[in-house]
Amino acid sequence: MMQNVEKRVELLAPAGSVEGFYGAIHGGADAVYLAGNRFGARAYAENFTTEALLECIRYGHLMGRKLYLTVNTLLKECEIHQLYSYLLPFYEAGLDAVIVQDLGVFRFIREYFPDWKLHVSTQMTICGSFGSALLKEMGASRIVPARELSLKEIVEIKKRTGVELETFIHGAMCYCYSGQCLFSSILGGRSGNRGRCAQPCRLSYDVTAKKGNGCEKGYPLSLKDLCTITHIPKLIEAGIDSFKIEGRMKKPEYAAGVTRVYRRYIDRYLRLRQTMGVEEAQKAFFVEEEDKLILNSLYIRSKVQDGYYFRHNGREMITMETPSYSGSDEALLADIRRKYIDDILRLPIKIRAFFLLGQPAEIQLQWEDVCVKVTGQLVEQAQKQPITEKNVRKQLGKLGESAFYGFEIEVDMDDNVFYPLKQINELRRQAVAKLEEQILCTRGYTQGNKSAVSSPEEMRQMMLQQEPASEKKVWALSVCTGMQLEAVSEWLSLNQDQFACRGMRIYIDGDLLVNGGERVDILCHKLSELYKIYAVLPYIVREAQYRYLESLYEKAVGSGDIHGFLVRSMDGMGFISQKGGKLPCRTDAGVYVWNGLAGQEIGVRAEGICLPYELKASEQRKLLQSLKLPCEKIVYSRIPMMISANCLYKTTKQCRRNAKTSEGKGLGKCGNRQLNFPEEEAWAFLTDKRHVKFPVKVNCLHCMNVIYNSVPFSLYSELGKWREAVDLRMDFTLESPEEVRQLLDSFLRGAPLPQGKYIATTGHEKRGVE
């Protein structure tokens, strides 16, 4: 697993404020990630005004550090064209890269700011080499993969793609795969995809299995904070390009203190490695207890753990007793502030001045090998009050809020000469500005060397003129169990005269296709004679699932019954793309399309998309006007609110995989084996303090949990408004065969819903998200 690492690994620190930025720089960060006043995933952080951010870009570059701007939220159709004027000043100032979640933003920046490096946010849920390779092909220079990946998986992605990888090494952890959490959004309207997560994962819940195997109370969704300081050698040798510290919502002292500790131990290991080689350096590396204590005293949630690098999940990762922060050492905070925040780091320069009679005044400034000079008017004979060396030194030393301090000042001047102090100050300012520009040029930031493509108004007008997809609208049905598939097949047989249409799509869970046996194969063949059958890929595709995907793909191609695939992630799309287009794919609601540009980007590789859950009806209608490819809208489902690598069964010591197989550690072969547990055993339930019960699908085949909303999502009363506008889709998850038949009668044939039986939510159809 170890690799020959020659280049210095980047230490990337967070900044939620100007003070936090200076704290990160002074603490030793090689790069800082931050947000402006728009489109960042920490909407409640202080963040930066445009003016402050421009100042930080200049200062950071003078110090030899990089700055990355987070534009890592999803943008609505009405917002996407606000990007140009927002980003242009930062582009012209030489900002190093942008961290992006939205595929529309990705496409926009690639086209209109071509010199910028695009970093794929962890919010895009990239979990393997297929997604990484696809994003690299699309123009990404760096991937921030999901936090849930093991070190082995990260090495494999690096080996297969060669793309830069940035991974988290310290800070808070989400229970859900980043970018796939709708919990806060659906329950309270505060969307994590808009930087407004209310953290329902930090609340208390009771956990029960469907069979009633006991109940455990606590905080089963609250992960301990990540701390990898003792694993620095392994992470460096894995070939990770950038070590990322989480925490833009935290105080400046946190950014400075944590950065300083990691800086010390990254440098310590690299020095050891240079002098004694990898194996000996790893043995010699150690972390002092005092520094462990410092990290544990800076806004740590209960206890720390080393994340998913060396495990797939486990109870030891969870703060079952309390999710609250343990507080911080006030004396430590004061010490960090004094050392790394209160005083600004400045570059030492040598100053030389010449005031010789009859010659132009001259000031020279030198930093390392960079030297500049400016000249002024002729130095005159003093008529009254000559200038003194003391006065000249005083004026030259007034470097104010610049990035410099004069560690050495030399003055060469004749006696009894005069030069206005005001002009000395002006010469000094000119020299400082010139030195700054020369240093920036030396570091590769020549003023004005980046030119954006002109305003995207023409593109906007072109998109408005595009004709939306006008194919005949059809229904789509999705099933995940054999009994649901049988119920759908029987219902369609009884209603064949009305719904026998090759355009109707039936989505069948890939697990069912792989493990369902002959009965499922027969049903698929029968249905494929009249309808288009799609195999549904898992929500999450990781390295261990690739053999599973190959098996599913071969079965789909070989049977001749499968028309295409429904992909639920960029990794799934990457897998299908690498297959060369033998079978087409469509994207699910979790491959987010919030704007027309995202639709264009996906349309290159997919034949259709699904509208997202978080846009309200009016926003969806506006989006449809800018989309050329076919779209579908879910009108009945259980909204998947969290997808997690952690497992409630494992957390409550009821892991069925440990009990029924001999392989209990990590993902291992889990994704390659057929674990045929009875369907009714594959559920658990979370119950909150208001006694609301959330069903949880425990998927042992892929070792992940899917937490669904407590009630179904239903637009039964809104069907008439959408029937001619978009394809309509029903997703069946927990429903029994009888419920499937009743719902099909109601939604497809217009029969009334049984009174009092179906309590449902309309989700964001009316309210949307901020």
Side-chain angles (χ1 to χ4, degrees), residues 461-501:
Q461 293 301 323
M462 182 183 69
M463 290 183 64
L464 290 174
Q465 294 169 9
Q466 290 177 351
E467 290 292 329
S470 58
E471 297 179 358
K472 182 180 178 181
K473 306 310 174 188
V474 299
W475 278 92
L477 307 174
S478 174
V479 300
C480 60
T481 72
M483 291 186 289
Q484 290 170 354
L485 180 61
E486 287 183 334
V488 166
S489 179
E490 292 170 4
W491 190 91
L492 289 173
S493 294
L494 292 173
N495 296 275
Q496 185 171 320
D497 57 333
Q498 187 175 354
F499 293 100
C501 169

Side-chain angles (χ1 to χ4, degrees), residues 563-582:
H563 176 81
F565 294 89
L566 180 69
V567 299
R568 290 170 158 173
S569 67
M570 293 301 290
D571 287 291
M573 184 181 290
F575 172 76
I576 299 301
S577 295
Q578 288 194 17
K579 289 300 180 181
K582 288 183 180 179

Side-chain angles (χ1 to χ4, degrees), residues 60-73:
H61 287 168
L62 285 170
M63 296 297 135
R65 319 299 171 87
K66 294 181 179 180
L67 281 84
Y68 307 145
L69 180 70
T70 59
V71 187
N72 54 344
T73 56

Side-chain angles (χ1 to χ4, degrees), residues 363 365 372 374 426-436:
I363 294 178
L365 303 183
V372 299
V374 295
E426 180 59 28
L427 279 179
R428 184 200 66 237
R429 283 190 287 267
Q430 292 177 16
V432 166
K434 192 172 182 179
L435 181 60
E436 286 184 353

Side-chain angles (χ1 to χ4, degrees), residues 188 238 269 325 530 656 686 766:
Y269 176 69
Y325 284 104
L530 293 173
R656 293 155 53 245
L686 287 171
K766 295 180 180 179

Side-chain angles (χ1 to χ4, degrees), residues 624-727:
L624 286 172
Q625 294 174 4
S626 66
L627 292 173
K628 290 184 67 176
L629 71 170
C631 304
E632 63 188 17
K633 175 179 174 64
I634 298 173
V635 294
Y636 178 86
S637 71
R638 285 279 183 147
I639 297 177
M641 300 202 302
M642 273 193 176
I643 301 161
S644 179
N646 247 289
C647 177
L648 293 178
Y649 275 29
K650 190 76 169 286
T651 299
T652 57
K653 303 178 181 178
Q654 300 182 64
C655 179
R656 293 155 53 245
R657 184 164 180 265
N658 281 344
K660 298 200 176 192
T661 77
S662 60
E663 301 175 56
K665 292 185 178 180
L667 192 58
K669 298 180 181 178
C670 179
N672 306 322
R673 303 186 61 220
Q674 296 184 9
L675 304 178
N676 290 305
F677 297 113
E679 290 174 354
E680 68 271 12
E681 290 186 0
W683 294 90
F685 291 93
L686 287 171
T687 306
D688 68 14
K689 62 182 180 181
R690 298 173 300 163
H691 308 293
V692 176
K693 185 177 288 188
F694 301 93
V696 183
K697 175 72 172 180
V698 181
N699 188 318
C700 292
L701 181 60
H702 304 298
C703 205
M704 69 179 180
N705 284 189
V706 182
I707 302 174
Y708 292 96
N709 199 7
S710 58
V711 295
F713 168 75
S714 173
L715 297 180
Y716 174 75
S717 61
E718 306 291 316
L719 293 179
K721 300 177 182 179
W722 291 100
R723 203 181 302 274
E724 301 302 321
V726 65
D727 293 348

Side-chain angles (χ1 to χ4, degrees), residues 69 104 188 246 276 354 370 392 482 489-490 508 514 551 566 597 770:
L69 180 70
E246 180 277 339
M276 61 180 65
F354 300 89
V370 181
V392 171
S489 179
E490 292 170 4
I508 302 176
V514 170
S551 175
L566 180 69
L597 285 180
E770 291 183 43

